[in-house]
Amino acid sequence: QVRLVESGGGLVQAGGSLRLSCAASGGNFGGYSMGWFRQTSGKEREFAAGDSRSGGTYYADSVRGRFSISRDNAKNTVYLQMDSLKPEDTAVYYCAAGVFRDIPTDPNLYNYWGQGTQVTVSS
């Protein structure tokens, strides 16, 4: 059983930056593809960024060029660096893990989830 714990959320002004962290325990971290998703009230959880176990990355169009995902297998941690933040980036951000060859954007395909961390971007 993999346990994921996110941290790093908070309140930031538009144009600012935040770095989210997701620490994993209880599994072979290097064998998982990792994804960052976000969700606002009343909306479905949406894919933001993903990092495959083979090292590839993929981003949603809405965050490409502003967000960057990376992982440190020695620390069992995946990061999401978020720059040039916009009010529409406000959401609860979740990290997720699964065993894939690629980076699925469908949240239903991921096996493990963290509890989420709130990101609020003020205008």
Side-chain angles (χ1 to χ4, degrees):
Q1 185 76 9
V2 176
R3 181 170 181 254
L4 304 174
V5 179
E6 301 98 334
S7 61
L11 173 65
V12 64
Q13 289 188 331
S17 299
L18 281 175
R19 188 175 82 154
L20 306 183
S21 300
C22 173
S25 60
N28 176 22
F29 181 74
Y32 290 95
S33 291
M34 304 297 297
W36 282 100
F37 290 77
R38 61 187 186 181
Q39 187 171 26
T40 55
S41 179
K43 293 188 177 181
E44 294 185 354
R45 196 166 294 189
E46 68 171 7
F47 174 84
D51 182 280
S52 76
R53 56 181 177 169
S54 61
T57 58
Y58 183 69
Y59 299 92
D61 289 343
S62 57
V63 308
R64 187 175 291 116
R66 300 186 299 119
F67 291 10
S68 177
I69 188 171
S70 62
R71 67 194 297 165
D72 185 336
N73 286 339
K75 295 183 178 180
N76 289 353
T77 302
V78 63
Y79 304 96
L80 185 67
Q81 177 67 40
M82 305 186 295
D83 298 320
S84 302
L85 282 161
K86 305 175 181 180
E88 51 263 45
D89 295 318
T90 295
V92 177
Y93 283 71
Y94 299 89
C95 71
V99 179
F100 315 111
R101 290 184 178 180
D102 53 3
I103 306 169
T105 60
D106 183 351
N108 295 309
L109 298 178
Y110 286 77
N111 303 104
Y112 304 102
W113 290 87
Q115 82 289 349
T117 185
Q118 176 71 47
V119 171
T120 303
V121 184
S122 63
S123 58

